Amino acid sequence: LTAMPFLYLFADAVLHISNPAASFSLPGKGEVVHRTKRELDTTLLSERGSEVRIVGFDGDSPSSSLSYFDRVVSINGHRVKSLGDVLAAKARAKELPEDNFILERMPFGNRNLIPADQRGW
């Protein structure tokens, strides 16, 4: 992931090949992890549609328990529908320090399900 900007900026060509028969098994993808508000304090979050993802970290490097693109699924059993849900829970955590944030690992972000020959690029 660190090299991706260089790949697009310095490559002469990037080929996107679609193979519907290919089965991709990404390490960690779909793994569910439980975290506390304190662990999410250093994260930078972004809302895309109805999903909230970790897109960065305050400081030098991410915590070993959190990763880029992790998706916040639920907080105390309530499904997360917006960034506002997460921010409200983080603010409320002063009174409820044991908020249980459930995250799903998505190490490479969302997979583009549109076939390569239909993407319009």
Side-chain angles (χ1 to χ4, degrees):
L1 290 176
T2 304
M4 288 304 277
F6 299 104
L7 175 70
Y8 286 104
L9 294 174
F10 298 117
D12 291 330
V14 177
L15 300 177
H16 297 272
I17 301 172
S18 179
N19 183 356
S23 173
F24 296 101
S25 177
L26 300 174
K29 184 175 191 253
E31 176 186 347
V32 175
V33 293
H34 298 258
R35 298 293 174 250
T36 63
K37 182 257 182 197
R38 180 178 297 141
E39 291 173 288
L40 269 76
D41 275 345
T42 62
T43 61
L44 303 174
L45 301 169
S46 176
E47 179 178 352
R48 182 173 177 217
S50 62
E51 294 187 342
V52 176
R53 302 267 181 146
I54 296 175
V55 295
F57 297 88
D58 288 336
D60 296 333
S61 63
S63 159
S64 61
S65 65
L66 299 168
S67 300
Y68 288 98
F69 308 120
D70 284 356
R71 181 172 68 100
V72 183
V73 177
S74 67
I75 303 166
N76 287 337
H78 300 286
R79 187 173 182 277
V80 170
K81 298 177 186 170
S82 71
L83 183 57
D85 294 344
V86 178
L87 298 177
K90 286 174 84 172
R92 198 176 60 240
K94 292 175 185 169
E95 302 148 18
L96 305 167
E98 295 305 317
D99 270 17
N100 187 15
F101 290 78
I102 297 178
L103 290 89
E104 179 183 14
R105 297 274 190 217
M106 301 295 283
F108 298 101
N110 286 334
R111 183 171 173 217
N112 189 345
L113 299 176
I114 299 170
D117 61 345
Q118 296 176 14
R119 292 185 187 165
W121 37 358

